């Protein structure tokens, strides 16, 4: 057939899996990156931390960690169980150190230890001092040159129109460093507004893909392989409904282009899938636009249901908290919205220190019926439609537990994560200073985590467990190595970075059908 372009490696998506593009280019392959939206970065660029859960990597070793891979494996196995293949889990836990070592040989990359405790304190091998978490160091935005204007996020820029920052941190810094590194290669092309819509096969092997540019379909030959890393399908409500993903596309934190195009293209040629009903969940504070956005770091308040009763540890790791909300809504014990109840110790604004999307003026929430204030708990209960007796009893009981220093109902403060935002102090704060307030909450997510099944090199498998030659996946397009749990901060981005890197190395080691590397042609960078 006639190809519009030819490369060695085609990477669909531009989040953490840019590591795969970088690795392939650095190893001498000709690479094209096609991004469906008008900005590079994917969901990774929205991450405030941009962290990677990579035990025992060189950054942590230099910081003096006494952690071991064996301990990290014990923890990961205990938490994930047998929900995903053991060899895939082992690859993830063991592989992070190597990818950091690989990247640090390029001066474009720089990383720091950012202590962040594992999310399951009681599991054997858990690390509570946070010494498994690594983040990119901040990057001045002007170091990206013209690519600065093509970098996604942060959330306030995309959703609220805020000016983009001059200093890139977290996920933006990670993506920025990959873009900076890629710009040094002349064997890479970057294309925006170019969604992958179909895969092209020849005798069972993926040999290229169809992308859409300005409504025109074009074919790209990929001699070594196609890496699918276009995020999840969280923005596609029809796919969420089809696969039983709780929550709503309206309330996801994923960018608008995460519609599952790559998932569908791979499934159309027989790719195996897993975890399609799963996401990385969180509580979501409801904003005046009606969207519930990921929120964490609560310095006070409790969550109550329609009966005025608590139903969860409010300081739990966000995915576990989100899952508890979903389980409660499915059982009928909680209806949406549920409410954060807090007092006037710090004023009328909810005690939420990390809203991810900045708060609007208080009046906007009040006018939308999302925030309420009353002199008594009974009056507050009436305003938000919960049982007044239940609310008064709940607050009374909670204040007694605060005085005793122990949450005997839901164990708030028992986990290291519960205390991560209070320098180890208890997260329990009494609700006893009127007037009293209520803020509406719902369910948000950081993206779906179900996707294509892969082997330890990121190669996509078919329904029978055999490789589909020429096809790879990473990030939220790949079925998550962590299964139905979230072991620790930096797990999603870490897996994206690692498995895209391993996929690229596998393609480097792969010869084409005729036994050698075919010549490829240059592609002009998409504007």
């Amino acid at each position: 057939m006639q190809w519009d372009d030819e490369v060695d490696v085609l990477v669909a998506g531009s989040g953490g899996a840019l590591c795969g593009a970088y690795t392939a280019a650095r190893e001498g392959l000709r690479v094209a990156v096609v991004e469906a939206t008008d900005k590079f970065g994917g969901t990774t660029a929205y991450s405030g931390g941009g962290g990677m859960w990579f035990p025992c990597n060189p950054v942590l070793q230099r910081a003096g960690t006494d952690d071991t891979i064996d301990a990290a494996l014990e923890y990961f196995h205990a938490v994930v169980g047998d929900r995903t293949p053991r060899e895939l889990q082992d690859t993830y836990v063991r592989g992070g150190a190597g990818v950091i070592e690989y990247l640090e040989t390029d001066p474009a990359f720089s990383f720091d230890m950012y202590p962040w405790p594992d999310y399951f304190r009681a599991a054997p091998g858990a690390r509570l001092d946070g010494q498994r978490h690594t983040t990119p160091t901040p990057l001045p935005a002007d170091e990206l040159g013209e690519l600065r204007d093509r970098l996604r996020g942060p959330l306030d820029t995309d959703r609220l129109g805020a000016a983009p920052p001059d200093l890139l941190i977290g996920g933006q810094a990670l993506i920025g460093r990959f873009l900076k590194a890629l710009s040094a290669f002349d064997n890479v092309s970057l294309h925006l507004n170019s969604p992958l819509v179909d895969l092209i096969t020849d005798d069972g092997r993926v040999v290229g893909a169809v992308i859409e540019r300005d409504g025109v379909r074009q074919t790209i030959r990929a001699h070594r392989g196609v890496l699918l890393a276009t995020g999840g399908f969280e923005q596609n409500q029809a796919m969420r409904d089809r696969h039983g993903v709780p929550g709503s596309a309206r309330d996801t934190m994923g960018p608008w282009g995460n519609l599952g195009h790559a998932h569908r293209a791979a499934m159309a040629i027989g790719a195996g899938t897993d975890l399609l009903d799963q996401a990385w969940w969180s509580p979501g504070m409801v904003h005046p636009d009606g969207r519930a956005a990921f929120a964490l770091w609560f310095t006070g308040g409790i969550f109550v249901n329609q009966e005025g009763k608590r139903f969860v540890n409010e300081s739990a790791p966000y995915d576990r908290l989100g899952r508890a909300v979903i389980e409660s809504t499915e059982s009928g014990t909680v209806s949406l919205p549920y409410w954060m109840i807090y007092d006037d110790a710090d004023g009328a604004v909810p005690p939420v220190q990390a809203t991810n999307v900045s708060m609007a003026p208080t009046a906007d929430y009040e006018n939308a019926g999302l925030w309420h204030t009353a002199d008594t708990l009974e009056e507050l209960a009436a305003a938000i439609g919960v049982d007044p007796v239940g609310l008064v009893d709940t607050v009374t009981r909670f204040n007694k537990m605060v005085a005793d220093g122990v949450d005997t109902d839901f164990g708030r403060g028992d986990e290291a994560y519960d205390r991560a935002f209070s320098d180890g102090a208890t997260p329990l704060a009494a609700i006893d200073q009127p007037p009293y307030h209520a803020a509406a909450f719902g369910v948000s997510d950081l993206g779906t985590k179900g996707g294509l099944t892969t082997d330890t090199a990121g190669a996509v498998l078919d329904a029978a467990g055999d490789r589909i030659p020429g096809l790879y996946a990473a990030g939220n397009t790949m079925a998550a190595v962590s299964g139905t749990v979230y072991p620790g901060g930096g797990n999603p981005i870490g897996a994206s970075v690692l498995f895209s890197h391993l996929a690229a190395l596998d393609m480097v080691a792969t010869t084409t059908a005729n036994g050698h590397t075919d010549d490829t042609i240059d592609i002009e960078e998409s504007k």
Side-chain angles (χ1 to χ4, degrees):
M1 66 179 293
Q2 183 67 38
W3 299 94
D4 294 301
D5 287 322
E6 296 192 37
V7 294
D8 291 319
V9 175
L10 176 63
V11 178
S14 63
L18 279 179
C19 186
Y22 168 80
T23 302
R26 174 169 155 175
E27 298 300 323
L29 301 185
R30 189 164 297 278
V31 180
V33 176
V34 292
E35 162 60 41
T37 72
D38 59 342
K39 303 285 185 182
F40 296 115
T43 309
T44 299
Y46 284 156
S47 171
M52 293 158 286
W53 194 88
F54 283 162
C56 303
N57 74 66
V59 176
L60 305 178
Q61 296 284 359
R62 291 194 297 269
T65 184
D66 61 355
D67 196 13
T68 66
I69 288 295
D70 285 344
L73 284 168
E74 182 181 30
Y75 172 74
F76 205 82
H77 293 161
V79 171
V80 179
D82 60 0
R83 186 58 187 82
T84 62
R86 181 60 60 93
E87 62 271 18
L88 202 65
Q89 297 179 34
D90 291 355
T91 298
Y92 175 60
V93 175
R94 294 182 183 278
V99 74
I100 293 294
E101 182 177 8
Y102 181 87
L103 294 174
E104 283 196 317
T105 61
D106 186 329
F109 296 99
S110 176
F111 302 97
D112 292 322
M113 181 176 76
Y114 189 93
W116 200 255
D118 287 339
Y119 289 171
F120 293 84
R121 174 190 61 84
R127 192 84 194 190
L128 306 184
D129 59 8
Q131 293 188 7
R132 287 174 177 163
H133 188 250
T134 301
T135 58
T137 56
L139 178 71
D142 58 11
E143 291 192 20
L144 293 185
E146 67 175 10
L147 286 172
R148 172 65 190 96
D149 294 333
R150 304 178 191 179
L151 175 62
R152 176 160 302 289
L155 278 160
D156 276 6
T157 298
D158 282 6
R159 293 196 180 186
L160 304 179
D166 294 327
L167 184 67
L168 307 178
I169 63 172
Q172 276 207 309
L174 183 64
I175 299 301
R177 290 187 177 280
F178 276 121
L179 291 175
K180 179 181 178 181
L182 286 166
S183 67
F185 297 108
D186 59 8
N187 54 331
V188 179
S189 61
L190 306 173
H191 306 271
L192 294 170
N193 301 307
S194 302
L196 181 148
V197 295
D198 206 356
L199 293 167
I200 300 171
T201 61
D202 182 13
D203 194 26
R205 178 183 180 87
V206 172
V207 296
V210 179
I211 66 167
E212 229 173 53
R213 290 182 184 154
D214 300 320
V216 177
R217 295 199 167 197
Q218 299 181 358
T219 57
I220 298 181
R221 173 77 161 99
H223 291 276
R224 298 298 185 96
V226 176
L227 171 59
L228 302 179
T230 60
F233 55 87
E234 59 269 11
Q235 286 282 2
N236 187 326
Q237 189 61 54
M239 281 191 73
R240 294 180 74 114
D241 293 343
R242 184 178 311 123
H243 298 295
V245 179
S248 169
R250 175 198 61 194
D251 299 325
T252 185
M253 307 308 292
W256 62 266
N258 290 9
L259 298 170
H261 291 310
H263 290 73
R264 296 199 302 273
M267 286 188 276
I269 64 166
T273 59
D274 194 15
L275 299 164
L276 291 179
D277 61 343
Q278 295 293 309
W280 311 94
W281 279 296
S282 73
M285 191 176 79
V286 184
H287 291 268
D289 63 1
R291 301 168 76 176
F294 173 36
L296 73 163
W297 190 352
F298 307 139
T299 55
I302 57 174
F303 287 138
V304 302
N305 62 13
Q306 59 271 25
E307 295 179 350
K309 297 179 179 178
R310 289 179 72 212
F311 59 92
V312 71
N313 167 11
E314 297 87 353
S315 296
Y318 40 91
D319 182 71
R320 292 172 66 181
L321 206 165
R323 288 175 181 273
V325 173
I326 290 168
E327 291 171 3
S328 296
T329 58
E330 291 178 344
S331 69
T333 58
V334 171
S335 59
L336 299 179
Y338 56 99
W339 297 92
M340 173 179 275
I341 306 299
Y342 55 103
D343 66 10
D344 207 53
D346 294 309
V349 175
V352 181
Q353 306 306 311
T355 58
N356 290 284
V357 176
S358 292
M359 293 186 193
T362 296
D364 292 353
Y365 293 91
E366 293 173 341
N367 293 335
L370 299 172
W371 293 0
H372 296 267
T373 296
D375 291 332
T376 67
L377 290 170
E378 291 88 347
E379 291 172 319
L380 186 65
I384 62 176
V386 307
D387 180 71
V389 175
L391 182 59
V392 171
D393 289 347
T394 293
V395 172
T396 300
R397 177 176 176 80
F398 179 75
N399 287 342
K400 174 66 166 55
M401 291 189 292
V402 173
D404 294 341
V406 180
D407 178 5
T408 55
D409 288 342
F410 297 100
R412 187 176 185 179
D414 290 354
E415 289 276 358
Y417 178 89
D418 296 4
R419 298 170 177 257
F421 301 110
S422 55
D423 295 324
T426 178
L428 301 175
I431 303 171
D432 58 7
Q433 299 184 39
Y436 300 101
H437 309 283
F441 272 72
V443 176
S444 183
D445 65 64
L446 286 68
T448 54
K449 65 187 302 188
L452 312 178
T453 53
T454 69
D455 65 12
T456 56
V460 175
L461 307 176
D462 63 19
D466 298 320
R467 271 195 176 198
I468 299 177
L471 187 62
Y472 299 81
N476 284 347
T477 310
M478 166 187 169
V481 62
S482 61
T484 59
V485 297
Y486 200 147
N491 187 258
I493 294 176
S496 180
V497 167
L498 174 64
F499 284 101
S500 65
H501 173 70
L502 296 177
L505 292 179
D506 196 71
M507 286 184 266
V508 168
T510 301
T511 55
T512 55
N514 56 13
H516 61 83
T517 304
D518 289 353
D519 292 330
T520 60
I521 63 173
D522 290 332
I523 306 173
E524 294 298 320
E525 183 179 340
S526 296
K527 305 295 184 185

